[in-house]
Amino acid sequence: MGYLWVSHSSPPHSSPFARDNLSWQDRELATVGALAALQGVDPQMQSHMRISRNVGLAEAQLQQVVSVLRERVGTEAADRAEAARISTASK
């Protein structure tokens, strides 16, 4: 089981935004991955799935994120990401 670093001075998803070394798409991928590992953050996960699309990530890329989470992190994290992906998809 992996460990998630949590800062008490800022939200855990804010540190990738502190520097300019990641693209907006990379930042959202990192945020979605981190949120997927946490329980009880469904509204944030849904927001970041929408933001991921707004910064140009394609649906196929978000599906790939779910696949990588399933293979490398676990079923629960992948299921959370998949539920957020589906619930925020354009109809």
Side-chain angles (χ1 to χ4, degrees), residues 25-72:
Q25 291 178 347
D26 291 339
R27 293 171 192 206
E28 284 308 315
L29 290 173
T31 302
V32 166
L35 289 172
L38 302 173
Q39 295 179 6
V41 294
D42 295 339
Q44 293 91 335
M45 174 67 86
Q46 291 171 354
S47 292
H48 283 282
M49 281 292 181
R50 287 185 197 98
I51 294 167
S52 294
R53 290 182 184 95
N54 288 340
V55 298
L57 289 169
E59 200 62 34
Q61 290 172 298
L62 296 176
Q63 289 171 342
Q64 187 176 10
V65 168
V66 171
S67 294
V68 170
L69 286 167
R70 192 169 310 284
E71 292 171 13
R72 305 224 173 176

